[in-house]
């Protein structure tokens, strides 16, 4: 990266915290810092000057939350706030060799499918910021403190498509190596590098000591410069002071220099920290660290490194499938999702997605299907189309790093498909055919593979992202072609060093006992170097062959996966099955299948003799809905499931609840709800992601939630508690500056004659601080909130 004021063999020193400094200089609690660009520009300028004197060479303008969503109550425009923020930083930097960055933070709302904000709307909010920053003279853009990879992608695309500025992207990870939404370091690195970020990194959440192993992991998953902007350790729960001083901070962060050459500070740091960091780094030089990246695709929660055989599921394809064709024509996305879930359950690693069929608008349908699949399936997707417009539409809304199937040796195909692949950082399958069709000889297919590889490299697509399909022809018509295909596969894998793809089932078309031929050919192909077989994972014999091959090739260490697949396993639960099917309501909720869960609940109510006739709705809540949510919650706590799965299960449970409400209304039964809870984000805090997640989960455990929103004064919460005789109140805070407001709310609630039980939570709240302020419970997440509600209200 060619960047002003940065020598390639030295560290690039960023600035430190803005919020901490503003609090020290008199910013009142609850004030939105970006508004100070207009009301007190000198306060902002003085912070910038102090960081420049300390040695910072990149200033983050005071624009972190300057998006239309967060500014709507202020009456100020995005352009007005950003223009002022950039001008203040530019003025401060006059006379210094320093650059000014437009600082872009999270929007404060979850994107679909976890929340209600669409990807397109998020893009527009970020686009407005990016354009205002570029027009105001920013030297670069920094996208920071992201926890949702989808939101980071929307921001990055908005900057790349509307400005020519360099862009750094940093996300916040906890000590488990995942973000709040479950994103992995590898998924973040490979996705953002593919989308064109100039540097990627980590900021906030932890100090440099706990961030160090994550920085190392990040450096092993990207060729880009790595950014490190950690907190000053951990905050004291009562005083708010961070536990790492400038000396320890600088020494610890300096040790990360070999894999993080762009450094600065986040929460709790000050010019003293940056000054000491500059002094510590002065004698250290950088050393180039060449990284060899393996083939890789991912969703945020499911990275898939192709370092052995990885199964691509073939069933999301209308060819020869009347029911699937009908689903496409009728826009029945639930059926398509069900096909995907069954392949995931059967052990597929990647899902091929083809929606091309006469009468279907592929450009409109592919992104709809991608979004639907992302709502409940964690596996990476391979978008299967020869239509570049459809591919672009699908890749744009895909969350992670996808694969594209396919390009071929025709120059027209290369020129239309590869630019789209490059823009979105996807992997691509190259078919070894051209305008003359499929060559008969292996050598001719190899020549096309080499042509596709060279073309991809010329477009800037890295070698590991090029996969080659040497094409399977049916042996019933061209028996000699099986040998040619295998010969080509071996050469592509061993000589060209590329991953290989084959649609295996084609081999047996027109023959009896097709499974035997396909399974034998699959084994032969894997031995020759096939790494990405496209097969039906629901065919047990095919997956058995893959499982056995992984043992014999050494990929399955100590035969763990083989033993797990073939060892007898007892069923986890006994749940209510709908007549005529083995599926249960629990299964549908756990998998996040909203329509299926509702359908099963409706069928159980009308046709199932297992249910008690006096109150079947309550029976379903207690025996199906709550156990399902408990199982997902337990998996979430154990790190086996993540926020997307937790929320998709809650949304499926909500669909069941709607069916139960309808049933109760029809027969005049009593409500299945268990009690009312108030939730609120405290005064001065405009973030409500965590609160909204808690609300969703609590509602689906059967509680009625009165959501008072965000930035709620203590008096409003107290009055609502009195008026509705509330027994349980939940308070959320994300900003350290709003903790006093939380404490005041707790104090006022505790002064009531019959005070409610109070739960507090949020990113800046700790169990110790909860006890200090007099709250009854601290809840670390939505599952903990549900457990507390059960204890208090039941």
């Amino acid at each position: 990266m060619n960047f002003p004021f940065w020598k390639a063999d030295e560290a690039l020193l960023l600035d430190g915290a803005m919020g901490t400094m503003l609090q020290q200089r008199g910013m009142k609690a609850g004030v939105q810092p970006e508004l100070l660009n207009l009301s007190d520009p000198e306060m902002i300028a003085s912070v910038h000057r102090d960081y420049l004197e300390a040695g910072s060479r990149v200033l983050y303008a005071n624009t972190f939350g300057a998006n239309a969503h967060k500014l709507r109550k202020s009456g100020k425009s995005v352009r007005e706030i950003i223009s002022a923020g950039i001008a203040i930083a530019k003025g401060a930097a006059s006379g210094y060799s320093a650059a000014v960055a437009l600082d872009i933070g999270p929007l404060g709302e979850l994107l679909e499918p976890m929340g209600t904000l669409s990807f397109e709307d998020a893009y527009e909010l970020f686009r407005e910021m990016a354009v205002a920053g570029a027009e105001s003279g920013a030297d670069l853009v920094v996208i920071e403190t992201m926890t949702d990879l989808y939101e980071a992608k929307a921001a990055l695309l908005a900057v790349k498509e509307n400005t020519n500025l360099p862009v750094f992207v940093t996300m916040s990870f906890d000590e488990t190596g995942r973000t709040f939404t479950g994103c992995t370091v590898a998924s973040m690195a490979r996705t953002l590098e593919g989308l064109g970020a100039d540097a990627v990194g980590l900021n906030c959440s932890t100090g440099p000591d706990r961030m160090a192993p994550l920085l190392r992991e990040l450096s092993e998953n990207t060729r880009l410069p790595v950014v490190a902007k950690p907190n000053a350790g951990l905050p004291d729960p009562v005083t708010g002071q961070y536990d790492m001083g400038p000396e320890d901070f600088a020494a610890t962060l300096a040790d990360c220099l070999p894999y993080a050459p762009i450094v600065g500070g986040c929460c709790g740091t000050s010019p003293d920290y940056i000054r000491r960091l500059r002094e510590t780094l002065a004698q250290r030089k950088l050393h180039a660290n060449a990284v060899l990246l393996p083939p890789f695709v991912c969703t945020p929660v499911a990275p898939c490194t192709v370092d052995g055989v990885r199964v691509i599921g073939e069933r999301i394809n209308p060819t020869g499938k009347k029911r699937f064709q009908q689903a496409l024509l009728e826009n029945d996305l639930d059926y398509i999702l069900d096909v995907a879930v069954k392949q995931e359950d059967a052990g597929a690693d990647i899902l091929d997605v083809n929606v091309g069929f006469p009468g279907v608008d592929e450009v409109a349908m592919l992104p709809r299907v991608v979004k639907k699949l992302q709502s409940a399936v964690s596996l990476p997707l391979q978008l299967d189309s020869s239509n570049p417009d459809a591919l672009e539409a699908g890749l744009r809304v895909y969350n992670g790093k996808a694969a594209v199937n396919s390009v071929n040796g025709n120059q027209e195909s290369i020129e239309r498909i590869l630019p789209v692949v490059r823009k979105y950082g996807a992997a691509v399958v190259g078919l070894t055919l051209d305008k003359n069709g499929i060559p008969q000889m292996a050598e001719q297919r190899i020549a096309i593979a080499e042509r596709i590889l060279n073309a991809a490299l010329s477009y800037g697509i890295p070698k590991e992202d090029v996969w080659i399909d040497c094409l399977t022809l049916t042996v019933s018509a061209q028996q000699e072609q099986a040998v040619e295909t295998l010969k080509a596969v071996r050469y592509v894998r061993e000589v060209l060093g590329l991953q290989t793809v084959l649609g295996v089932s084609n081999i047996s078309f027109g023959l009896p006992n097709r499974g035997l031929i396909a399974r034998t050919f699959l084994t032969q192909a894997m031995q020759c170097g096939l790494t990405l077989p496209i097969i039906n994972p629901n065919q047990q014999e095919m997956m058995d062959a893959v499982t056995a091959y992984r043992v014999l090739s050494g990929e399955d260490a100590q035969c763990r996966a083989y033993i797990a697949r073939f060892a007898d396993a007892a069923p986890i639960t006994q749940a209510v099955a709908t007549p005529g099917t083995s599926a249960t309501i629990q299964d549908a909720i756990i998998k996040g299948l909203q329509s299926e869960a509702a359908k099963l609940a409706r069928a159980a109510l009308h046709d199932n003799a297992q249910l008690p006739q006096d109150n079947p709705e309550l029976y379903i809540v207690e025996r199906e809905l709550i156990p399902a949510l408990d199982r997902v919650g337990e998996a979430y706590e154990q790190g086996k499931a993540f926020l997307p799965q937790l929320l998709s299960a809650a949304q499926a449970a909500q669909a069941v609840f709607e069916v139960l409400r309808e049933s109760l209304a029809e027969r005049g039964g009593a409500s299945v709800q268990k009690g009312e809870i108030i939730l609120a984000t405290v005064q001065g805090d405009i973030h409500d992601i965590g609160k909204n997640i808690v609300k969703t989960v609590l509602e689906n455990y059967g509680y009625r939630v009165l959501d008072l929103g965000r930035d709620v004064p203590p008096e409003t919460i107290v009055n609502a508690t009195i008026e509705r005789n509330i027994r349980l109140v939940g308070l959320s805070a994300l900003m350290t500056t709003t903790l006093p407001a939380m404490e005041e709310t707790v104090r006022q609630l505790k002064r009531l004659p019959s005070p409610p039980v109070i739960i507090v939570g949020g990113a800046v709240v700790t169990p110790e601080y909860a006890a200090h302020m007099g709250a009854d419970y601290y809840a670390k997440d939505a599952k903990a909130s549900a457990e507390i509600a059960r204890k208090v209200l039941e």
Side-chain angles (χ1 to χ4, degrees):
M1 178 181 61
N2 183 16
F3 187 73
F5 319 126
W6 186 22
K7 296 180 181 179
D9 62 346
E10 296 179 355
L12 177 62
L13 194 56
L14 309 174
D15 61 10
M18 174 63 76
T20 305
M21 300 299 296
L22 295 178
Q23 290 175 46
Q24 293 176 0
R25 297 179 192 209
M27 182 179 72
K28 295 180 180 178
V31 170
Q32 190 170 350
E34 293 78 15
L35 298 180
L36 294 174
N37 293 345
L38 301 178
S39 63
D40 197 345
E42 177 52 31
M43 182 186 290
I44 305 300
S46 67
V47 175
H48 288 323
R49 287 194 294 269
D50 285 353
Y51 279 123
L52 289 164
E53 285 295 324
S56 296
R57 289 299 167 257
V58 177
L59 294 177
Y60 284 28
N62 185 37
T63 57
F64 179 85
N67 62 72
H69 182 67
K70 290 184 177 180
L71 291 175
R72 60 188 173 192
K73 286 187 178 181
S74 71
K76 305 300 181 182
S77 71
V78 171
R79 182 176 298 276
E80 186 179 12
I81 296 296
I82 286 180
S83 177
I86 298 294
I88 293 168
K90 284 280 190 179
S94 178
Y96 291 88
S97 296
V100 171
L102 169 68
D103 188 9
I104 296 179
L107 297 172
E109 283 198 22
L110 285 172
L111 272 66
E112 295 173 335
M114 292 186 288
T116 58
L117 184 65
S118 72
F119 180 85
E120 295 80 7
D121 287 344
Y123 173 90
E124 283 302 315
L125 289 166
F126 289 126
R127 183 197 61 78
E128 186 177 16
M129 294 182 74
V131 171
E135 292 179 351
S136 299
D139 300 302
L140 72 155
V141 178
V142 171
I143 300 164
E144 65 161 329
T145 326
M146 292 289 176
T147 58
D148 182 358
L149 185 60
Y150 210 25
E151 185 174 15
K153 175 177 179 173
L156 181 54
L157 283 177
V159 175
K160 297 291 292 185
E161 293 179 347
N162 295 280
T163 81
N164 293 314
L165 298 177
V167 55
F168 298 174
V169 187
T170 60
M171 296 184 69
S172 296
F173 289 77
D174 61 30
E175 294 175 48
T176 67
R178 290 182 182 263
T179 70
F180 168 64
T181 59
C183 180
T184 70
V185 171
S187 294
M188 170 254 198
R190 299 297 294 272
T191 299
L192 297 178
E193 178 173 339
L195 289 167
D198 294 284
V200 293
L202 313 179
N203 80 289
C204 207
S205 291
T206 64
D209 50 347
R210 290 173 170 82
M211 188 178 282
L214 301 180
L215 290 169
R216 182 185 294 276
E217 180 183 356
L218 177 56
S219 71
E220 293 168 352
N221 280 279
T222 182
R223 299 182 180 93
L224 299 176
V226 171
V227 182
K229 218 169 186 273
N231 293 342
L234 298 174
D236 182 275
V238 177
T239 67
Q241 297 298 311
Y242 286 78
D243 65 4
M244 187 173 279
E247 187 76 26
D248 289 343
F249 178 88
T252 307
L253 186 52
D255 289 341
C256 299
L257 192 63
Y259 35 89
I262 305 175
V263 292
C266 202
C267 299
T269 61
S270 67
D272 289 339
Y273 285 75
I274 300 303
R275 185 175 296 105
R276 189 69 193 100
L277 186 57
R278 182 197 66 192
E279 293 166 356
T280 304
L281 296 175
Q283 303 304 316
R284 304 204 185 190
K285 296 293 183 181
L286 299 182
H287 302 283
N289 184 26
V291 178
L292 184 62
L293 297 178
F296 182 94
V297 288
C298 69
T299 61
V301 302
C304 178
T305 301
V306 186
D307 53 2
V309 176
R310 298 292 177 266
V311 171
I312 301 176
E314 68 180 7
R315 300 299 294 168
I316 305 177
N317 190 313
T319 304
K321 305 181 186 73
K322 290 185 178 180
R323 179 64 186 90
F324 196 100
Q325 295 165 5
Q326 178 186 358
L328 287 176
L329 294 171
E330 296 176 357
N331 201 33
D332 182 2
L333 302 188
D334 290 314
Y335 173 81
I336 298 172
L337 177 58
D338 185 56
V339 172
V341 169
K342 288 176 179 176
Q343 291 185 100
E344 182 175 34
D345 290 346
D349 299 293
I350 302 167
L351 299 181
D352 190 81
V353 180
N354 186 317
V355 297
F357 188 71
V360 174
D361 182 351
E362 193 177 1
V363 177
M365 180 60 75
L366 188 54
R368 285 205 298 269
V369 170
V370 168
K371 285 186 174 185
K372 185 68 175 181
L373 296 179
Q374 288 178 164
S375 71
V377 175
S378 62
L379 297 183
L381 304 182
Q382 176 173 279
L383 307 190
D384 188 348
S385 176
S386 59
N387 183 333
D389 294 330
L391 288 172
E392 171 136 24
L395 288 170
R396 190 170 188 83
V397 301
Y398 179 75
N399 190 6
K401 180 181 176 71
V404 165
N405 185 13
S406 56
V407 69
N408 62 52
N410 284 323
Q411 190 61 31
E412 180 184 4
S413 174
I414 287 171
E415 292 175 356
R416 297 182 70 201
I417 301 297
L418 292 187
V420 178
V421 171
R422 175 66 186 89
K423 177 179 178 180
Y424 292 99
V428 62
V429 177
L431 304 183
T432 53
L433 59 83
D434 57 17
K435 62 183 180 181
N436 298 315
I438 302 174
Q440 297 295 301
M441 306 302 294
E443 292 76 13
Q444 296 168 304
R445 297 187 205 182
I446 291 166
I448 295 175
E450 291 173 331
R451 187 192 315 160
I452 292 171
L453 172 60
N454 291 332
L457 294 174
S458 73
Y459 277 96
I461 299 169
K463 182 178 179 179
E464 69 269 10
D465 283 345
V466 181
W467 306 347
I468 295 297
D469 186 340
C470 294
L471 300 171
T472 307
L473 302 178
T474 176
V475 292
S476 62
Q478 296 173 288
Q479 190 169 357
E480 72 286 353
Q481 286 303 302
V483 173
E484 296 299 318
T485 295
L486 295 178
K487 188 188 301 182
V489 166
R490 186 181 295 277
Y491 186 95
V492 169
R493 185 76 191 102
E494 295 181 355
V495 179
L496 299 185
L498 303 178
Q499 302 305 310
T500 54
V501 181
L502 282 178
V504 175
S505 61
N506 294 341
I507 195 74
S508 60
F509 186 78
L511 291 174
N513 197 356
R514 290 189 61 185
L516 177 60
I517 293 290
R519 187 166 66 253
T520 305
F521 178 70
L522 171 62
T523 302
Q524 282 187 302
M526 289 188 292
Q527 182 60 33
C528 288
L530 174 62
T531 55
L532 290 157
I534 302 177
I535 62 175
N536 180 359
N538 302 118
Q539 292 178 340
Q540 182 176 334
E541 297 83 359
M542 298 294 282
M543 293 301 291
D544 288 349
V546 172
T547 304
Y549 178 81
R550 286 169 172 163
V551 170
L552 299 175
S553 66
E555 179 186 340
D556 181 9
Q558 298 180 339
C559 310
R560 290 192 185 96
Y562 184 90
I563 293 170
R565 180 174 179 83
F566 293 106
D568 292 334
I572 297 173
T573 63
Q574 295 296 324
V576 177
T578 302
T581 175
S582 60
T584 68
I585 299 170
Q586 275 196 49
D587 292 335
I589 292 173
I590 290 168
K591 294 172 183 175
L593 303 176
Q594 297 178 46
S595 298
E596 182 70 10
K599 182 174 70 174
L600 291 170
R602 197 170 286 113
L605 286 169
H606 289 111
D607 304 321
N608 205 314
Q610 298 180 48
L611 301 181
Q613 297 306 303
D614 58 335
N615 199 338
E617 296 86 3
L618 182 60
Y619 185 90
I620 289 176
V621 168
E622 293 180 343
R623 299 296 183 91
E624 296 286 324
L625 195 149
I626 290 177
L629 290 175
D630 282 345
R631 287 174 63 190
V632 176
E634 289 166 7
Y636 178 73
E637 288 182 333
Q638 295 166 4
K640 297 176 181 178
F642 305 98
L643 187 61
Q645 290 95 327
L646 183 68
L647 290 179
S648 65
Q651 290 159 359
Q654 184 65 38
V656 173
F657 249 121
E658 291 303 319
V659 172
L660 301 184
R661 289 192 186 103
E662 292 171 6
S663 176
L664 282 166
E666 289 174 2
R667 66 182 191 83
S671 171
V672 296
Q673 290 187 324
K674 304 173 182 178
E676 188 170 30
I677 304 169
I678 280 179
L679 293 182
T681 302
V682 299
Q683 187 171 28
D685 203 318
I686 57 175
H687 302 87
D688 60 0
I689 290 177
K691 173 182 64 64
N692 290 342
I693 293 168
V694 172
K695 175 186 175 183
T696 299
V697 172
L698 287 175
E699 286 179 336
N700 290 291
Y701 270 95
Y703 302 103
R704 187 166 60 254
V705 176
L706 175 60
D707 183 0
L708 298 181
R710 54 192 176 187
D711 191 15
V712 185
E715 296 77 15
T716 301
I717 298 170
V718 169
N719 291 337
T721 301
I722 295 171
E723 291 170 6
R724 303 179 75 96
N725 193 27
I726 298 295
R727 294 170 54 200
L728 184 60
V729 174
L731 303 175
S732 173
L734 188 69
M735 302 163 61
T736 55
T737 56
T738 60
L739 286 176
M742 176 177 276
E743 191 166 350
E744 174 61 19
T745 304
V746 171
R747 188 185 67 81
Q748 291 193 26
L749 287 169
K750 287 298 184 181
R751 288 172 54 191
L752 294 175
S754 298
V757 174
I758 302 171
I759 314 173
V760 295
V764 296
V765 183
T766 64
E768 294 82 4
Y769 193 72
H772 167 76
M773 73 174 75
D776 299 287
Y777 290 99
Y778 163 77
K780 66 176 182 178
D781 54 33
K783 179 64 166 56
S785 299
E787 291 171 352
I788 294 167
R790 183 181 294 172
K791 183 184 301 183
V792 172
L793 298 179
E794 297 182 43

